[in-house]
Amino acid sequence: MADQDFQQGFVYTGLPTRVIFGFGTRARVGEELRRLGIQRPFVLLSPRRAPEAQALVAGHGIEIASVFTGAVMHTPVDVTNRALAIVEETRADGLIALGGGSTIGLGKAIALRTDLPQLVLPTTYSGSEMTPNLGETSEGRKKTVRSPKIQPEAVIYDVELTLSLPHALSATSGMNAIAHGVEGLYAQDRNPIISLMALEGIRALAECLPVVVDRPLDRTARATALYGAWLCGTVLGSVGMALHHKICHVLGGSFGLPHAETHTVILPHVVSFNAHTVDAELRPVTEILHSLGAGQGLFDLARRLKAPTALAEIGMLSGELDRAAALVMESPYYNPRQPTQEEIRVLLEDAFNGRRPAL
Ligand code: NAD
């Protein structure tokens, strides 16, 4: 692998985000806001966490411009416009997003339009906080935008914020993170530094997720999962993704399927589809998962985590598979093995039925 990289040469661009990682690190919000020059933050939170907004900034002489709790999955543009009007009206000078990928996504959508600085406190393993990418939905289509304005300036990983993540979502969100790492390994613009991060992230997540699911309050396992999610998020922000992310993008944006669950179901099938083309890149994943093939290993891990393994379980209708396959082919991403529409249709059918993928 390394020799091939050296022969071909590669480009590595480091992401500029400052990262604070640990337990109880949300106590450092005030310090980080000062560093970013934010005095009137617009705070994005889930409704359940809204009462915590004030405590985040208490004692730092910071006045919250407004608290917004309306973020939803797949970043619909009408929600962004609603939040944006409040940001402007309240003269916010920066953004705090505390939550999962949906809350973070809304913060990024606002930053894209205003270039306000962002401080992010992730509570899931989505990895969105580490990327300059944003998937926005309007009129039933999800479009990806990439801009340096979208990349959060600072991220506070506080492991304690993840202790409440329910075991089902911990499992699927963890598989979502693994998907970033796996597709990073065979990205068109892959490089050895990002591959190191991908493998370390996949290893961390594969080892700790069974513990997280069995004992959600295990602090070491939770820290390992968040560390793995950070690394895999960095992979997502640094190199291009492939067929797996394209399919999930279509299924989420055009069929409203839940993000992390969709990633969990689709990943083993795409990895199995790509396996022979990128055998060397995927071999370490097979070793990490102690399996005969990376696709089967990921499928078995999802089962071990009691996560969904069939699109039928998460809201897909069989009558929609043809349209989904056509949409995937409409503006295809790079993939190491070029699929035909018929092959995508077969892959979706297997994923729909929850079949264990072939080696
Ligand atoms: P989410 O943010 O929608 O959260 C799912 C549910 O979990 C919500 O009800 C939320 O309130 C709850 N939750 C979150 N953290 C919790 C915690 N610690 N304890 C208890 N409940 C908690 O789900 P997600 O999978 O993190 O994010 C999905 C969204 O993120 C999608 O819109 C996806 O497109 C986007 N995303 C974007 C990127 C990117 O780089 N642009 C990367 C990954 C995901």
Side-chain angles (χ1 to χ4, degrees), residues 4-351:
Q4 191 194 336
D5 288 331
F6 293 143
Q7 295 305 326
Q8 291 176 355
F10 57 84
V11 176
Y12 166 75
T13 309
L15 295 176
T17 302
R18 173 179 161 87
V19 172
I20 293 109
F21 189 101
F23 290 89
T25 43
R26 63 193 179 286
R28 292 169 66 174
V29 163
E31 194 185 311
E32 291 304 314
L33 288 178
R34 256 205 316 279
R35 187 185 285 274
L36 292 167
I38 300 175
Q39 285 169 335
R40 279 178 64 76
F42 181 77
V43 183
L44 297 143
L45 294 156
S46 66
R48 202 174 51 85
R49 291 210 188 257
E52 296 171 36
Q54 208 54 52
L56 275 179
V57 299
H60 291 277
I62 286 158
E63 192 191 340
I64 289 179
S66 180
V67 173
F68 190 86
T69 59
V72 291
M73 213 168 268
H74 306 307
T75 332
V77 171
D78 55 336
V79 176
T80 301
N81 288 339
R82 223 169 354 106
L84 204 53
I86 306 171
V87 168
E88 282 163 7
E89 197 182 302
T90 58
R91 289 173 289 107
D93 62 359
L95 307 165
I96 301 178
L98 186 156
S102 299
T103 305
I104 297 168
L106 179 55
K108 289 162 82 173
I110 297 169
L112 173 67
R113 289 157 174 86
T114 60
D115 208 10
L116 287 175
Q118 304 171 70
L119 174 60
V120 177
L121 295 96
T123 64
T124 69
Y125 307 132
S126 83
S128 176
E129 65 281 358
M130 293 311 296
T131 85
N133 312 333
L134 170 67
E136 297 193 288
T137 313
S138 68
E139 292 162 7
R141 295 281 171 107
K142 192 166 176 178
K143 282 199 210 115
T144 301
V145 199
R146 193 174 164 93
S147 159
K149 290 183 194 172
I150 295 172
Q151 180 91 41
E153 278 72 9
V155 173
I156 295 182
Y157 285 106
D158 185 341
V159 182
E160 287 170 4
L161 291 173
T162 64
L163 295 175
S164 57
L165 192 62
H167 66 85
L169 190 53
S170 299
T172 54
S173 192
M175 292 297 293
N176 182 198
I178 289 177
H180 308 327
V182 169
E183 288 233 299
L185 291 173
Y186 54 67
Q188 188 170 28
D189 53 351
R190 64 184 174 272
N191 67 68
I193 310 305
I194 290 300
S195 295
L196 275 176
M197 290 192 190
L199 286 176
E200 172 72 355
I202 296 165
R203 191 185 319 278
L205 286 156
E207 279 173 18
C208 72
L209 286 176
V211 183
V212 164
V213 166
D214 291 346
R215 298 196 301 275
L217 297 179
D218 186 305
R219 292 168 71 87
T220 304
R222 283 293 192 182
T224 310
L226 196 56
Y227 166 72
W230 162 27
L231 293 177
C232 289
T234 304
V235 174
L236 175 68
S238 304
V239 294
M241 296 287 111
L243 181 62
H244 165 76
H245 278 74
K246 175 68 196 185
I247 292 178
C248 293
H249 203 82
V250 165
L251 296 178
S254 300
F255 299 90
L257 295 198
H259 181 80
E261 290 83 343
T262 307
H263 274 267
T264 307
V265 173
I266 294 296
L267 185 64
H269 297 278
V270 174
V271 167
S272 166
F273 179 78
N274 285 334
H276 295 293
T277 314
V278 282
D279 177 54
E281 286 78 2
L282 287 173
R283 201 170 311 132
V285 177
T286 308
E287 286 161 15
I288 289 169
L289 297 171
H290 309 292
S291 61
L292 292 176
Q296 286 192 351
L298 291 163
F299 184 88
D300 295 344
L301 177 62
R303 280 229 169 124
R304 162 70 182 85
L305 301 177
K306 302 184 187 70
T309 49
L311 289 178
E313 285 176 68
I314 60 169
M316 191 74 185
L317 303 174
S318 62
E320 292 178 327
L321 296 179
D322 283 336
R323 189 164 78 87
L327 283 173
V328 169
M329 294 303 286
E330 227 175 53
S331 51
Y333 289 11
Y334 161 82
N335 193 57
R337 177 180 165 197
Q338 196 51 47
T340 63
Q341 188 165 324
E342 186 48 37
E343 284 169 329
I344 299 286
R345 179 67 177 76
V346 170
L347 188 156
L348 289 174
E349 179 88 35
D350 286 346

